[in-house]
Amino acid sequence: MFNNSKLATSVKLACAFGSVMAISASNYALAQEEATTEKDAEEVVEKIQVTGSRISRVDLEATQPISYIDDSYIKDRGMTNAITAVLDLPGVIAGVTPEIGGNTAANGQALGQNTISLYGLGSQRTLTLINGSRFISSNSPVGGGGAPGGQVDVNNIPVALIDRVEVMKVGGAPVYGADAVAGVVNYILKKDYEGAEFSYDYTSFNGIAADNSFRALIGGNFAEDKGNIVVALEYNETENIAARDVPGLANDWGSFTPADGNGVENDDGEVPANQVLLVPDPRAGILSFSGLVTPGSTAITNFGLGAWGDGNFYQFDPAGSGSLVSYDPGVATGNAVWASGGDGLNLLETNTAREGYERYNLSVIANYELAEDLNLEVTVFSNRSDAGNQGYQALQYNSGVFGGSGAALSFNTSNPYLTTDTRTQLEGLLGGEGDFYYHRGWVNLGQREIINESSVNSYRAELTSFFDVGDRTFDWALSYQKGISSVYSQDQGLNIPKFFAALDVGVNPETGQIDCLYNYTDDYEGGFVAENHGLTDSENILGAQGTCSPLNPFGTPTDASLDYIKYNDQGQTRIEQSILAGYLSGEIFDLPAGGVGFATGFERREEYAEFRPDGSAELVGLSDNSTAGGYTTQDVYAEAIIPIISSDMDIPGLHTLSVDTSYRYIDNDRSGEDSIWAVGLNYRPIEEVMVRYNITETVRAPAITELFLPVVESSQFATDPCDARNLESGPNPDVRQANCAAEGLPTDFASIAQNASRRGFTGGNDSLANEEAKSMNVGIIYTPGWAEGLDFSFDYIDIELTNAIVSFTLTDIMNACYDATDYPNRFCDQFEREADGQLPALNAFTSGYVNAALRNFKAAEYTANYKNDLTDYPLIGDYFDGDDGSLSFRFSFFKLIQDEISNTGFDFTDDHGEFDNPDLIANGQITYSVGDLITFLDINYTDRTSRNVNQTPYQYIDQNGNPYTEIPSRTLFDFGAVYYVSEEVSVRASVQNLFDWSASPKETAVGLWSYGRTYNVGLTARF
């Protein structure tokens, strides 16, 4: 609040005259205790670098849209993570996040991480910077979160040290290099800080869980003010949240085919074949968590399969008594598997809503004047995170609808673990001794808990100075940066051979106790011998005879049996980055409109990543997924800002006009040479109106995962496009039919790959080229002179992505072959057909990463800002006096126009306007400050969307039997206040989701949910 930073002040002053749309959450932070004269302002304003440029300038008029968040906005709202603030900006969404919302899978090597995705184009296409420089990634090449790439986990950025965050859309690549396809997010940290600040925040998620955050910021000068050092310390604790504890997830709804007689007829008196009905509490009637028991190997309770002769279904007692009790199949739907209610599989009982973590951050920024006009700055980050997903699924599922080791288990009524009453009951149902089948989700064995221990260490040293040539001053910088991140992961797996051996029991004649048959049976038929894993043929993977511990499938497992059948699967990720960079900037000559700003620089960047598993997965039959690789890129770049018209030329309709140009040459030793360039225009017809225009061509380099993921054998089914059942499908059925005929296949061809998997190979591709993108933005900013503090802006964004990298399945490859007009093409060489047209059982295909996809994105952004003292408000200002405070408004709107995607180049789909890709998102901030009090109201609005952009009439029916086509709009409100007890101490409190929005059944069915109200209280003390 009481910020003496000259740089921060100059930014805010420049914003008042310039083009940056700022969220200025705190009027108090921007207000000065006394008015500043125009002369004083001129003395304070200094040339600074703006995101997207190395040229220092007084104004912030970039040719691309830039938004920024200041530190007051972050502090006032008690934000404890660097990602939270930017999510309030239009077009900014989370990439990987700990909020997985009841997902059935964990983030693996990325537990607890937060990454940013501009426009939802993928976090791998957003470049995240710290102080204008890249930062070491934490995204593992195997098991990483989201898409492969060098995404930055912004958890590593200390919140207390953030001065502001600048977000540049569709720009920055010529200056910063590859990967800035959607834009750049630049976290600018405090420097030359003096004082001490301590903060604590407590956040309660509607009583479900709580977070704690402690932050300290300490800084001061040394060596007679030649140097300054600032140290930031942070500790954050977030609890793991189970989906079953969140009412919005536990009270689940799903959409399924209605049962016979429950459908809703359309205007023609027919029930559409694709109709689905909203039903509560979806349960899969194929197993239960205590064990569904059936007379045959199949259990599909919706169809009555698995019922006993008396017409009933039975399961073992969920309480663990070992008795048989009734199994409630629920209310059948028309879906084969899913019922409403009952005792079937409920995934949300075992899923995770949020991954928990503990995070420790130590950051140091020190600068020292080595000599006159020569400064050394050293930045150090040393962070650690311990993250966990306490269990998101059972370790093992067995059901008659699964195959292999997941099939239903067969037991005989002679099994010694059966109680006498249960054996009698089963034999009564069977008509005597016999076999029965067991369908179970084995939650009693434990869940798939994952634990990650992560560390990030980054060191950067930069020399900066300036020199004069005549009457011109040039700045230069030379820096070296080294970053190392590591992730140690551990999860529990089930050793399937030992699991079966532990279930195969009898009574040991020597001990009279229940024991594994393997322990006392010579030449045990279940003996498995591992091959090619470093074991000799005499070593049985069941362990030495006598070590098997029997497992009671109908009761509570012993610790010994769990130790025998479970194993720890461990993996280690290591990522290294080194950057040598430098630049020179200054004004090289004058034009009538002013000096021509110029900058040139170089960057040599090395990236390396590896994942090393412990080998335990191979021992149980899984493929070796160890991965290692790297690349080096050597880049040079230049940029110029050319003033064409200046205001003092006094040309009507041409107040100012300038051109921005930038170019970068990339030489990547893996993906080759490429060029990035941008040309922009800033035009002011009058002082109050600015028009900006920019076109950019940029690239994204292939990620280490995409290049070096090991090629392993894989089994895949395929929807063969030349199968008679599929000839009428595809983007152009005529093209598909002609190409299949050219292949020599008859029109009645039946592909065996539809029902029998084929074995082939899948993995990385070291021949990948760069993704390519062309982008354009045009915008207008209006800052009326008749209303000080008011501005409006509009920006239109158009991004065309080509040669995008995607991972192709066998089906994708075959579609790309037969649906293309250039048949036969390169994809046709990636699979084989035998003489009869069938794919061979072995060596049938090679799949994996390819350059093939296209994406066309168009959107518009609108913002409106107004900030003023109440006494200066038009029309109403006379009703207030100077003690009544100030009121500010900020509203932004993001309108999605097109989001067209094709993996092959001819199968475009565009789901914009669907529930997970809304057409319109808006947010607003209203802030009132008076004296030592600041209050704010944040509003977040999502427009109504289609349930399915390709839906047909009467396809979706709600729980009341009414057709629907839309998911309703939603508006969430957050309210909070900050009170300054003194200049040194402030307290804050806020409520998110003030009116306790919760998802309706329609919204729940498409994955929308909330915790309910979230409360935050915090304290900051400054010294």
Side-chain angles (χ1 to χ4, degrees), residues 758-760 810 830-833 839-846:
R758 307 286 89 181
R759 295 193 69 82
L810 175 55
Q830 292 184 230
F831 62 92
E832 302 289 336
R833 288 193 187 271
L839 275 67
L842 301 175
N843 301 321
F845 62 90
T846 300

Side-chain angles (χ1 to χ4, degrees), residues 243-323:
R244 61 178 175 270
D245 294 332
V246 181
L249 292 172
N251 302 321
D252 197 18
W253 288 78
S255 296
F256 304 103
T257 303
D260 290 344
N262 288 342
V264 177
E265 295 180 351
N266 59 21
D267 294 339
D268 296 327
E270 298 177 349
V271 177
N274 64 348
Q275 187 174 99
V276 290
L277 173 69
L278 272 179
V279 298
D281 194 17
R283 303 288 184 113
I286 57 174
L287 54 81
S288 77
F289 284 135
S290 62
L292 173 63
V293 179
T294 63
S297 61
T298 303
I300 304 178
T301 60
N302 272 1
F303 293 167
L305 299 177
W308 290 85
D310 60 3
N312 295 319
F313 294 95
Y314 294 95
Q315 65 178 337
F316 277 86
D317 184 5
S321 68
S323 301

Side-chain angles (χ1 to χ4, degrees), residues 395 445 447-449 490-494 566-569:
L395 277 180
L445 304 182
Q447 293 173 249
R448 301 177 194 178
E449 180 180 9
Q490 176 177 296
D491 64 79
Q492 289 192 324
L494 187 69
K566 293 164 65 174
Y567 67 94
N568 285 331
D569 182 13

Side-chain angles (χ1 to χ4, degrees), residues 194-216:
E194 295 182 63
E197 179 178 294
F198 301 91
S199 298
Y200 169 72
D201 280 274
Y202 174 85
T203 305
S204 172
F205 293 85
N206 204 25
I208 300 169
D211 294 350
N212 290 279
S213 176
F214 301 87
R215 303 178 299 282

